[in-house]
Structure formats: structure tokens, C-alpha cells
Amino acid sequence: MQTCTGKGDLEMKTMRNLKTLLAGLLLVPALALASGGPELDRAPNVSGDKAALQNGAKLFVNYCQGCHGLSAIRYNRLTDLGLSEKQIMENLVFSDGKIGDQMTTAMSAADAKKWFGAAPPDLSLVARARASEEGSGADWLYTYLRTFYRDESRATGWNNVAFDKVGMPHILAGLQGVQELVEMEGADSHAKPTFKLVQQGQYAPAEYDKQVGDLVGFLTWAAEPQAALRTQLGIAVLVFLGVLFVFAYLLKKDYWKDVH
Ligand code: HEC
């Protein structure tokens, strides 16, 4: 009996993961059609920087998980970022959560739709889904999180250069400050916005950019947590083949030394 329930449970979870994956895949062509946003800023590459990725995880839990899930990731997976299970439980898991839980959000999609007019999507695959000819998904996220501006015509009071008429308010305004859009130079994928900071945030602009870079690095890792392992494995295989070549060559020389 026990094994039966376990198996059913596993199948259900697999189905759920498959559904998330499918939803993500369906999103890709839809987003490709909707391209034509502004010129994207290049996100810094922090993939090998564990301190940056840990900071990104902290920012995600504190500022984003209230509305967005990251359901492809379980908390214990964060050990890949150099955190111990104890650190994860103490700093990143809400009081009733368990180390093996998926990083879901507590907000229901129905409430979110009522409040924001759009449900906040699960962000597991967003770093891959937002990749386009203009730049990587990380570049889009990096641009998106830095180009919110005041717009009184919007219900939330905010608009965004990378995502026109977005339903999400500027969650990081306390850190970045409040900016107004002064002008858009150029058009389509070459459009460059100019902003004016009308209210100081907790961070100076360069420090805010660094924080966003860490957060985007974390979301990029979450979209493909195996990527770093794959690179390491690739290098290990090449080293192994190199060593094997030396021995094979020595052996060959030894075999042929009397044949002349
Ligand atoms: C108060 C709720 C709320 C919080 C907190 C929040 N968001 Fe959102 N977010 C939304 C909503 C609602 C949307 C959907 C907007 C739309 O479709 O117009 C959204 C959309 C997005 C999108 C666009 C997804 C896509 O591809 O369509 C990204 C990326 C995103 N949020 C990232 C973040 C990050 C990163 C944080 C944390 C810094 C965050 N959000 C915090 C409500 C929230």
C-alpha cells in the first residue's frame, strides 16, 4: 500500500513538472512574436560566483516569492549554490516549509488576477523563455528589472520599458528609487530610454545594478541548474581523454618499436 501511494504521488509531481515545462515551451513562440522592445542591456555573468547567486536567492525569496513561484526548484537544490541545509532552512524557507518542498508562492493565481489584472507567472523558465534575437533571457530580465518608471495613467502607478503596460508594480523601488521616463531615443529594438531619478532609493545606481545582476544570475541558474555541472563534466572528460591519449601513444610506440 505504502509504495502505491508513493508512486501516485511521484506521478502527480512529474505531471505537474511536465505541465510547467509545457507551459514554458508554449510561451516561447508567443514571446518571440511579441518582440520589438528596447535595446537590451547586457546582464553580468555571475554563473561561477556563489556569493552573488546566494544573494540572488535571498533577493528572490524576500522580494519576489510573495507573488511568483519557482516551482522547478526544491529548496534542497540550493545546496548547489554552496549553502548548507541549515542555512537554507533558517534564511530562505518560510516557517511551515520543508527542505524538500518546491519553491512555490503562497499567493493564489485567482487573488493575483483580481489584484493585478494578470497572474504572476511561475519564473522557473523565464530566463530561457525570454531569450530573443535582441539578447539572452538574462539580458531581458536585467533590462526589465531596471526600467520601471512612474506612470500615473497605470492602475499600479508604474510602467516598464521592456514590458509595456506591465501588471507588476515596481517591487524594488525601495532599493532603486523612483525614476521618470524623460525620452525614448530611436525606435523598436534600438530604442534607448533616458530616465531621471526623482526619488533616491536605498542603493546608488551602480549598486542597484549589481543587486539586480545577482538576482538575474539566480533566475538564470534556476532555469538550468545542471548547466554548471555539464561544463565541469565536459572539462573532466576532455582532461581524461588527454591523459588517455598520452598512454595510448606510449603504448603504441612500445608495440611498434621492433617492427621495422
Ligand atoms: C506584488 C506581486 C508581485 C511581486 C512581489 C513581484 N511580481 Fe513579478 N509580476 C507580477 C505580475 C502580476 C506579473 C504579470 C504582469 C503582466 O502580465 O502584465 C509579473 C510579471 C513578472 C515578469 C514577466 C514574466 C513574463 O515573462 O511575462 C517577471 C520577469 C517578473 N514578474 C519578475 C519579478 C521579480 C524578479 C520579482 C522580485 C524582484 C517580482 N517579479 C516580484 C507581480 C509581482
Side-chain angles (χ1 to χ4, degrees):
M1 266 331 271
Q2 196 62 33
T3 45
C4 267
T5 359
K7 189 156 166 276
D9 197 35
L10 192 71
E11 271 168 7
M12 239 176 65
K13 279 179 182 153
T14 315
M15 276 307 288
R16 247 199 333 255
N17 286 344
L18 268 178
K19 275 191 198 150
T20 314
L21 192 70
L22 265 179
L25 288 176
L26 289 176
L27 211 68
V28 175
L31 293 174
L33 284 177
S35 75
E39 193 167 297
L40 298 181
D41 295 325
R42 298 284 164 243
N45 180 358
V46 295
S47 60
D49 183 344
K50 293 214 164 132
L53 296 175
Q54 289 175 12
N55 185 40
K58 193 183 79 191
L59 288 167
F60 178 82
V61 169
N62 287 336
Y63 289 99
C64 318
Q65 207 180 351
C67 294
H68 293 281
L70 202 58
S71 59
I73 299 294
R74 291 176 191 279
Y75 288 102
N76 52 12
R77 185 91 217 206
L78 300 175
T79 49
D80 286 8
L81 306 182
L83 294 165
S84 71
E85 293 202 348
K86 185 158 176 280
Q87 285 172 318
I88 296 169
M89 282 308 286
E90 279 170 8
N91 301 305
L92 300 173
V93 182
F94 297 120
S95 52
D96 56 344
K98 291 194 246 357
I99 193 77
D101 287 353
Q102 291 171 298
M103 295 185 72
T104 48
T105 176
M107 186 184 288
S108 84
D111 279 346
K113 196 134 200 257
K114 200 162 65 203
W115 294 328
F116 306 107
D122 190 274
L123 294 182
S124 299
L125 291 172
V126 73
R128 274 193 273 173
R130 283 287 181 179
S132 69
E133 277 171 27
E134 271 77 46
S136 68
D139 295 340
W140 186 87
L141 284 168
Y142 186 66
T143 307
Y144 171 68
L145 292 170
R146 290 158 50 261
T147 59
F148 277 92
Y149 63 92
R150 263 264 163 261
D151 183 349
E152 299 305 340
S153 74
R154 305 286 313 145
T156 56
W158 295 101
N159 206 333
N160 186 283
V161 167
F163 191 148
D164 191 36
K165 303 194 172 55
V166 68
M168 172 173 148
H170 187 11
I171 299 302
L172 300 177
L175 305 184
Q176 184 182 27
V178 176
Q179 56 185 10
E180 283 173 359
L181 184 65
V182 179
E183 64 168 339
M184 281 292 269
E185 219 178 292
D188 296 334
S189 61
H190 298 298
K192 259 189 186 293
T194 319
F195 297 109
K196 186 168 136 215
L197 199 64
V198 292
Q199 195 186 307
Q200 211 81 45
Q202 186 183 328
Y203 293 129
E207 178 58 23
Y208 178 72
D209 287 355
K210 194 206 157 281
Q211 297 290 324
V212 171
D214 291 356
L215 176 56
V216 170
F218 172 69
L219 289 172
T220 307
W221 168 81
E224 206 172 358
Q226 310 280 19
L229 178 71
R230 229 171 24 224
T231 314
Q232 282 167 10
L233 262 180
I235 292 170
V237 167
L238 286 178
V239 169
F240 173 77
L241 286 177
V243 172
L244 192 69
F245 173 79
V246 171
F247 281 108
Y249 180 73
L250 291 177
L251 204 62
K252 177 222 165 232
K253 265 182 75 169
D254 195 52
Y255 278 159
W256 286 82
K257 69 174 188 282
D258 300 326
V259 189
H260 279 298

